[in-house]
């Protein structure tokens, strides 16, 4: 059975979401146990999400560097391939019209 390897973009995105969810659970636990303030009034959920975003961004930047580099290399390869195909089609069309 041959299982296809997920693309670097899908892998990076899944890991980025996992880091965010982990931060959200961590912040929610801190708020629940009173270590951090619970926000204002009914804004508890928004407070937790915003703090999780603020925490997950630098963590993802540091922890997912390898995956981000793999993703950008994969994107560059695909863009170069698309450019080469476009140029090949353009030169082929130029040859036909002359």
């Amino acid at each position: 059975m041959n299982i296809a390897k997920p693309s670097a973009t899908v892998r990076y995105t899944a890991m980025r979401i996992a880091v965010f969810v982990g931060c959200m659970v961590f912040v929610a636990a801190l708020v629940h146990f009173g270590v951090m303030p619970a926000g204002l009034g009914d804004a508890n959920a928004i407070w937790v999400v915003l703090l999780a975003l603020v925490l997950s961004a630098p963590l993802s930047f540091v922890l997912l560097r390898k995956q981000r580099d793999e993703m950008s290399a994969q994107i560059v390869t695909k863009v170069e391939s698309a450019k080469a195909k476009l140029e090949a089609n353009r030169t082929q069309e130029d040859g036909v019209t002359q």
Side-chain angles (χ1 to χ4, degrees):
M1 190 160 119
N2 188 6
I3 299 175
K5 181 179 176 185
S7 76
T9 304
V10 171
R11 194 169 51 252
Y12 173 76
T13 303
M15 292 175 82
R16 181 81 194 259
I17 290 170
V19 168
F20 170 71
V21 170
C23 287
M24 197 161 60
V25 168
F26 178 71
V27 170
L30 291 178
V31 168
H32 177 73
F33 292 114
V35 177
M36 295 185 77
L40 299 172
D42 294 333
N44 188 28
I46 295 170
W47 174 253
V48 170
V49 170
L50 289 176
L51 283 176
L53 282 170
V54 169
L55 285 175
S56 70
L59 283 174
S60 294
F61 184 74
V62 173
L63 297 175
L64 302 179
R65 181 175 311 240
K66 178 183 170 194
Q67 288 78 16
R68 191 174 51 253
D69 290 344
E70 288 175 6
M71 180 181 68
S72 75
Q74 186 180 53
I75 290 171
V76 166
T77 302
K78 287 182 180 182
V79 167
E80 292 299 324
S81 173
K83 283 182 181 179
K85 286 179 185 177
L86 183 63
E87 187 60 32
N89 287 341
R90 185 177 296 140
T91 57
Q92 184 179 12
E93 288 174 1
D94 289 344
V96 170
T97 58
Q98 290 179 351

